[in-house]
C-alpha cells in the first residue's frame, strides 16, 4: 500500500480530485450537476437533442435566465454540448456529451431512488 504522504500518491490523488477538500475544483462540478436545475436538465437531455425552448418547457418551473446559466455551467464542465445555427431566427440546440450521458444516468438513478422512497424520506409513510 502506498504511503499517503509520498509525492506520487499526492499527485495521483490531486489528478483524481478530492471533493472533501475545500480547494478541490470537483466541488464546482458537483454543485452544477447536483443543483436542481442541473440535475433536471441532464435528465431531460437524456431523451436527445433539444432546442432551448423545448428544454425550458420540459424542465417546468425554471426561468429562462436560470436555465441559460445552468446550461452554460454544464457546457463549461464538458457535460452539455451547445450548437448554434445561423438561421433566422437563430436557434441553438443542446445535447449531452459522453460524460454528460454518464452523469445523467447517475443523477437519474439518484432521483429515481428519491421518488421511490419519497414517503419514507418525507415522513409521510405509515408507521
Amino acid at each position: 500500500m502506498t504511503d499517503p504522504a509520498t509525492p506520487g500518491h499526492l499527485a495521483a490523488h490531486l489528478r483524481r480530485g478530492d471533493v472533501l477538500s475545500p480547494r478541490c475544483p470537483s466541488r464546482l462540478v458537483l454543485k452544477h450537476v447536483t443543483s436542481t436545475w442541473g440535475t433536471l436538465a441532464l435528465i431531460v437531455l437524456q431523451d436527445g437533442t433539444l432546442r432551448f425552448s423545448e428544454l425550458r418547457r420540459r424542465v417546468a418551473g425554471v426561468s429562462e435566465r436560470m436555465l441559460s446559466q445552468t446550461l452554460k455551467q454544464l457546457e463549461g464542465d464538458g457535460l452539455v454540448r451547445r450548437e448554434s445555427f445561423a438561421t433566422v431566427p437563430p436557434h441553438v440546440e443542446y445535447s449531452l456529451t459522453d460524460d454528460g450521458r454518464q452523469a445523467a444516468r447517475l443523477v437519474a438513478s439518484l432521483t429515481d431512488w428519491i421518488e421511490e422512497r419519497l414517503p419514507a424520506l418525507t415522513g409521510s409513510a405509515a408507521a
Side-chain angles (χ1 to χ4, degrees):
M1 181 164 157
T2 309
D3 177 4
T6 62
H9 182 273
L10 182 59
H13 188 67
L14 292 176
R15 277 193 305 276
R16 181 182 174 276
D18 180 8
V19 75
L20 298 179
S21 170
R23 297 182 320 234
C24 185
S26 64
R27 281 192 178 190
L28 190 56
V29 176
L30 180 66
K31 179 180 175 182
H32 297 159
V33 169
T34 61
S35 72
T36 299
W37 306 124
T39 296
L40 296 176
L42 290 170
I43 289 170
V44 167
L45 285 170
Q46 286 184 107
D47 293 338
T49 301
L50 294 173
R51 291 176 69 164
F52 184 86
S53 58
E54 295 169 317
L55 190 49
R56 184 164 178 235
R57 274 193 297 278
R58 298 268 317 267
V59 181
V62 67
S63 70
E64 190 171 316
R65 179 181 171 274
M66 184 54 67
L67 181 57
S68 178
Q69 178 182 338
T70 298
L71 291 168
K72 284 179 185 172
Q73 291 169 341
L74 294 172
E75 182 185 11
D77 295 334
L79 303 175
V80 168
R81 181 179 301 105
R82 179 183 188 273
E83 189 172 359
S84 297
F85 296 91
T87 59
V88 178
H91 91 253
V92 177
E93 292 182 346
Y94 294 90
S95 60
L96 295 174
T97 63
D98 289 340
D99 284 340
R101 280 189 287 282
Q102 189 173 8
R105 281 192 297 275
L106 293 167
V107 296
S109 291
L110 177 60
T111 57
D112 286 347
W113 179 84
I114 291 169
E115 288 178 333
E116 289 170 3
R117 301 282 303 141
L118 196 57
L121 297 171
T122 60
S124 59

